[in-house]
Amino acid sequence: MFWTIIMQLAFSFLATLAFAIITNVPRRSLIACGLTGTFGWMTYWTLMHLDAGTTMSTLAGAFVVAIASFFFAKSKRLPVTIFNVPGIVPLVPGGLAYQAVRNFVLGDYLEAISFSVRVALVAGAIAAGLVLSEVLNHSIRRFREHKENI
């Protein structure tokens, strides 16, 4: 189990880092990008092992990515999207999408639709996690501003 966790940490970091390099993020943000993806993936992976389900695990992972992105963006004084986009990559349902297209091509339409629905649910969970985090961050900022004005 220990080596499995180490491998999950390492490969989620490397996958996120590689995507950050491909998308030309600033060098000073590369490690933070890698950590953002690692935090999100490990949240997803942990919840999957606790039988939370794919959609709920993805929602939580995306939420963690968005929160980590907010903190790294603030500390590095860079836009949040520099951390959000690479950080989400480990959560993207590429394998499910491949299976959906493959089954469409093979003519197994019921299986293809099943995979397509799962892809849509996971994609929706990613979007919802990012939105929930932004709503939370906005609410916290408004509360702090309101508190300072009193």
Side-chain angles (χ1 to χ4, degrees), residues 2-95:
F2 173 76
W3 289 111
T4 303
I5 293 171
I6 296 300
M7 287 182 60
Q8 293 291 328
L9 285 167
F11 284 115
S12 61
F13 181 84
L14 290 173
T16 307
L17 185 67
F19 193 80
I21 291 169
I22 289 170
T23 55
N24 293 322
V25 301
R27 278 183 192 251
R28 65 188 174 110
S29 65
L30 287 175
I31 300 298
C33 284
L35 290 173
T36 301
T38 301
F39 295 154
W41 177 256
M42 291 310 292
T43 301
Y44 168 83
W45 187 76
T46 303
L47 289 175
M48 284 298 290
H49 277 75
L50 295 174
D51 293 327
T54 306
T55 305
M56 209 49 157
S57 300
T58 303
L59 176 72
F63 184 79
V64 167
V65 165
I67 294 293
S69 296
F70 175 76
F71 285 112
F72 283 131
K74 197 167 183 147
S75 70
K76 302 258 184 214
R77 297 176 190 228
L78 290 168
V80 174
T81 54
I82 286 178
F83 305 99
N84 265 350
V85 174
I88 286 297
V89 167
L91 300 175
V92 171

Side-chain angles (χ1 to χ4, degrees), residues 100-116:
V101 172
R102 180 177 179 269
N103 283 303
F104 272 120
V105 170
L106 294 175
D108 190 358
Y109 298 115
L110 289 177
E111 193 70 19
I113 290 170
S114 172
F115 277 111
S116 297

Side-chain angles (χ1 to χ4, degrees), residues 123-147:
I126 289 171
L130 294 173
V131 168
L132 284 174
S133 171
E134 190 57 38
V135 167
L136 179 69
N137 287 332
H138 181 71
S139 298
I140 291 170
R141 268 186 261 133
R142 283 193 65 185
F143 177 75
R144 285 181 183 164
E145 289 172 3
H146 181 71
K147 189 176 170 184

